[in-house]
Amino acid sequence: MKLELIPHIKHLNSNNFFLLAGPCAIEGEEMAMQIAEKIVKITDKLEIPFIFKGSFKKANRSRIDSFTGIGDEKALKILKKVSDTFNVPTVTDIHEVSDAAMAAEYVDVLQIPAFLVRQTDLVVAAANTGKVVNLKKGQFMSPESMKHAVTKVTDSNNEQVLITDRGTMFGYQDMIVDFRGIPTMKQYAPVVLDVTHSLQQPNQSAGVTGGRPEMISTIAKAGIATGVDGIFIETHFDPANAKSDGANMLNLNLLEKLLSDLVAIRKTINQL
């Protein structure tokens, strides 16, 4: 995949990783704009190509009373406003075949959730929009099996495809990152490491996903050291009160230090 084909992507002359970052879900316009503005300032300073992430809808919820969104079109319009205001590309998840064409009207990258990456009709619908398709590796899948998910996109005449590792199930309530999978999946497509979802602790008895945010820096640094092309981080200015996945999100105030460290590691790796 040629990163320069993503509209609005900047800093293409740097040797940095690229970044997908933003809140788990679009909770409203003010919060999305506030988070985007902060990340844009940081990534411009560090010359990191940046794609703003926000889910317009959360379909994979443990409980029926969990937050799912503010309305599909309303959230998608906010993503479009972020893109227009800050001149950055955007990415959002889709869950149903009908979501693909709708979301493609507003965003630059369509993301297939890990639970759904084997759903052929969904993957093909995303590919047929002509947008970049970001395939989340299923928590239940081997790195080698992602070759077939990538092929579904490329066989649909779309070469713009990414793979994102978001950890592998470890028992019922924990995730691990098998860093051996990074070079394996790089044979098929550029690889992103989803740092924050890799630190989820799903299937809690309360029906609310837990997490290990104190390990974000460790996992992110290891990802850069093993050669990932991109980093995925969900971040929020008040994770404790976020409406989705607050337990594993990074506090926005910690993002610049983390990214500065990752840039330094990447520069060192590039010199080897």
PDB file of all heavy atoms in Angstrom, residues 4 71 85 115 139 144 150 186 194 210 226 232:
ATOM      1  N   GLU A   4       1.030   7.498   0.445  1.00  0.00           N
ATOM      2  CA  GLU A   4       0.766   8.809  -0.143  1.00  0.00           C
ATOM      3  C   GLU A   4      -0.568   8.863  -0.889  1.00  0.00           C
ATOM      4  O   GLU A   4      -1.043   9.945  -1.234  1.00  0.00           O
ATOM      5  CB  GLU A   4       1.902   9.217  -1.084  1.00  0.00           C
ATOM      6  CG  GLU A   4       2.121   8.294  -2.262  1.00  0.00           C
ATOM      7  CD  GLU A   4       3.166   7.238  -1.980  1.00  0.00           C
ATOM      8  OE1 GLU A   4       3.375   6.905  -0.804  1.00  0.00           O
ATOM      9  OE2 GLU A   4       3.770   6.736  -2.952  1.00  0.00           O
ATOM     10  N   GLY A  71     -25.591   8.508  16.875  1.00  0.00           N
ATOM     11  CA  GLY A  71     -26.323   8.548  15.605  1.00  0.00           C
ATOM     12  C   GLY A  71     -25.334   8.452  14.465  1.00  0.00           C
ATOM     13  O   GLY A  71     -24.344   9.192  14.438  1.00  0.00           O
ATOM     14  N   THR A  85     -11.326  20.383   8.744  1.00  0.00           N
ATOM     15  CA  THR A  85     -10.766  21.433   9.594  1.00  0.00           C
ATOM     16  C   THR A  85      -9.256  21.317   9.722  1.00  0.00           C
ATOM     17  O   THR A  85      -8.532  22.323   9.640  1.00  0.00           O
ATOM     18  CB  THR A  85     -11.412  21.397  10.988  1.00  0.00           C
ATOM     19  OG1 THR A  85     -12.831  21.565  10.862  1.00  0.00           O
ATOM     20  CG2 THR A  85     -10.846  22.498  11.885  1.00  0.00           C
ATOM     21  N   PHE A 115     -13.385  -8.983  15.291  1.00  0.00           N
ATOM     22  CA  PHE A 115     -14.396 -10.035  15.366  1.00  0.00           C
ATOM     23  C   PHE A 115     -15.003 -10.358  14.000  1.00  0.00           C
ATOM     24  O   PHE A 115     -15.570 -11.430  13.811  1.00  0.00           O
ATOM     25  CB  PHE A 115     -15.532  -9.616  16.304  1.00  0.00           C
ATOM     26  CG  PHE A 115     -15.190  -9.713  17.764  1.00  0.00           C
ATOM     27  CD1 PHE A 115     -15.272  -8.602  18.577  1.00  0.00           C
ATOM     28  CD2 PHE A 115     -14.791 -10.918  18.326  1.00  0.00           C
ATOM     29  CE1 PHE A 115     -14.961  -8.678  19.932  1.00  0.00           C
ATOM     30  CE2 PHE A 115     -14.483 -11.016  19.673  1.00  0.00           C
ATOM     31  CZ  PHE A 115     -14.569  -9.885  20.481  1.00  0.00           C
ATOM     32  N   GLN A 139      -8.672 -11.819  17.122  1.00  0.00           N
ATOM     33  CA  GLN A 139      -8.008 -12.283  18.340  1.00  0.00           C
ATOM     34  C   GLN A 139      -7.810 -13.791  18.329  1.00  0.00           C
ATOM     35  O   GLN A 139      -6.977 -14.331  19.061  1.00  0.00           O
ATOM     36  CB  GLN A 139      -8.846 -11.916  19.578  1.00  0.00           C
ATOM     37  CG  GLN A 139      -9.130 -10.435  19.724  1.00  0.00           C
ATOM     38  CD  GLN A 139     -10.461 -10.045  19.112  1.00  0.00           C
ATOM     39  OE1 GLN A 139     -10.835 -10.551  18.057  1.00  0.00           O
ATOM     40  NE2 GLN A 139     -11.163  -9.134  19.754  1.00  0.00           N
ATOM     41  N   GLU A 144      -0.489 -15.899  10.014  1.00  0.00           N
ATOM     42  CA  GLU A 144      -0.466 -16.467   8.667  1.00  0.00           C
ATOM     43  C   GLU A 144      -1.855 -16.436   8.014  1.00  0.00           C
ATOM     44  O   GLU A 144      -1.974 -16.273   6.795  1.00  0.00           O
ATOM     45  CB  GLU A 144       0.044 -17.907   8.712  1.00  0.00           C
ATOM     46  CG  GLU A 144       1.518 -18.045   9.031  1.00  0.00           C
ATOM     47  CD  GLU A 144       1.836 -17.933  10.526  1.00  0.00           C
ATOM     48  OE1 GLU A 144       0.886 -17.825  11.343  1.00  0.00           O
ATOM     49  OE2 GLU A 144       3.033 -17.940  10.876  1.00  0.00           O
ATOM     50  N   VAL A 150      -6.379 -10.410   3.442  1.00  0.00           N
ATOM     51  CA  VAL A 150      -5.780  -9.444   2.521  1.00  0.00           C
ATOM     52  C   VAL A 150      -6.147  -9.783   1.075  1.00  0.00           C
ATOM     53  O   VAL A 150      -6.491  -8.903   0.278  1.00  0.00           O
ATOM     54  CB  VAL A 150      -4.246  -9.399   2.694  1.00  0.00           C
ATOM     55  CG1 VAL A 150      -3.591  -8.591   1.574  1.00  0.00           C
ATOM     56  CG2 VAL A 150      -3.877  -8.820   4.049  1.00  0.00           C
ATOM     57  N   LYS A 186       3.879  -8.630   7.626  1.00  0.00           N
ATOM     58  CA  LYS A 186       4.451  -7.629   6.723  1.00  0.00           C
ATOM     59  C   LYS A 186       4.720  -8.208   5.334  1.00  0.00           C
ATOM     60  O   LYS A 186       4.928  -7.457   4.380  1.00  0.00           O
ATOM     61  CB  LYS A 186       5.738  -7.049   7.314  1.00  0.00           C
ATOM     62  CG  LYS A 186       5.487  -6.063   8.448  1.00  0.00           C
ATOM     63  CD  LYS A 186       6.766  -5.386   8.922  1.00  0.00           C
ATOM     64  CE  LYS A 186       7.332  -4.440   7.895  1.00  0.00           C
ATOM     65  NZ  LYS A 186       8.401  -3.584   8.424  1.00  0.00           N
ATOM     66  N   ASP A 194      -1.990  -2.171  17.124  1.00  0.00           N
ATOM     67  CA  ASP A 194      -3.006  -1.524  17.946  1.00  0.00           C
ATOM     68  C   ASP A 194      -2.611  -1.710  19.403  1.00  0.00           C
ATOM     69  O   ASP A 194      -2.886  -2.744  20.014  1.00  0.00           O
ATOM     70  CB  ASP A 194      -4.378  -2.143  17.653  1.00  0.00           C
ATOM     71  CG  ASP A 194      -5.500  -1.486  18.440  1.00  0.00           C
ATOM     72  OD1 ASP A 194      -5.213  -0.785  19.421  1.00  0.00           O
ATOM     73  OD2 ASP A 194      -6.672  -1.704  18.080  1.00  0.00           O
ATOM     74  N   GLY A 210     -12.050  -4.440  30.828  1.00  0.00           N
ATOM     75  CA  GLY A 210     -10.960  -3.849  31.592  1.00  0.00           C
ATOM     76  C   GLY A 210      -9.751  -3.610  30.704  1.00  0.00           C
ATOM     77  O   GLY A 210      -9.799  -3.802  29.486  1.00  0.00           O
ATOM     78  N   THR A 226      10.221  -3.948  16.645  1.00  0.00           N
ATOM     79  CA  THR A 226      10.041  -5.114  15.784  1.00  0.00           C
ATOM     80  C   THR A 226       9.624  -4.731  14.367  1.00  0.00           C
ATOM     81  O   THR A 226       9.352  -5.608  13.547  1.00  0.00           O
ATOM     82  CB  THR A 226       9.002  -6.091  16.373  1.00  0.00           C
ATOM     83  OG1 THR A 226       7.820  -5.377  16.734  1.00  0.00           O
ATOM     84  CG2 THR A 226       9.552  -6.782  17.599  1.00  0.00           C
ATOM     85  N   PHE A 232      -1.338   2.294  16.378  1.00  0.00           N
ATOM     86  CA  PHE A 232      -2.740   2.629  16.601  1.00  0.00           C
ATOM     87  C   PHE A 232      -2.935   2.847  18.098  1.00  0.00           C
ATOM     88  O   PHE A 232      -2.610   1.967  18.901  1.00  0.00           O
ATOM     89  CB  PHE A 232      -3.604   1.465  16.096  1.00  0.00           C
ATOM     90  CG  PHE A 232      -5.099   1.634  16.219  1.00  0.00           C
ATOM     91  CD1 PHE A 232      -5.888   1.752  15.084  1.00  0.00           C
ATOM     92  CD2 PHE A 232      -5.728   1.625  17.453  1.00  0.00           C
ATOM     93  CE1 PHE A 232      -7.272   1.868  15.168  1.00  0.00           C
ATOM     94  CE2 PHE A 232      -7.109   1.742  17.559  1.00  0.00           C
ATOM     95  CZ  PHE A 232      -7.884   1.869  16.417  1.00  0.00           C
TER      96      PHE A 232
END
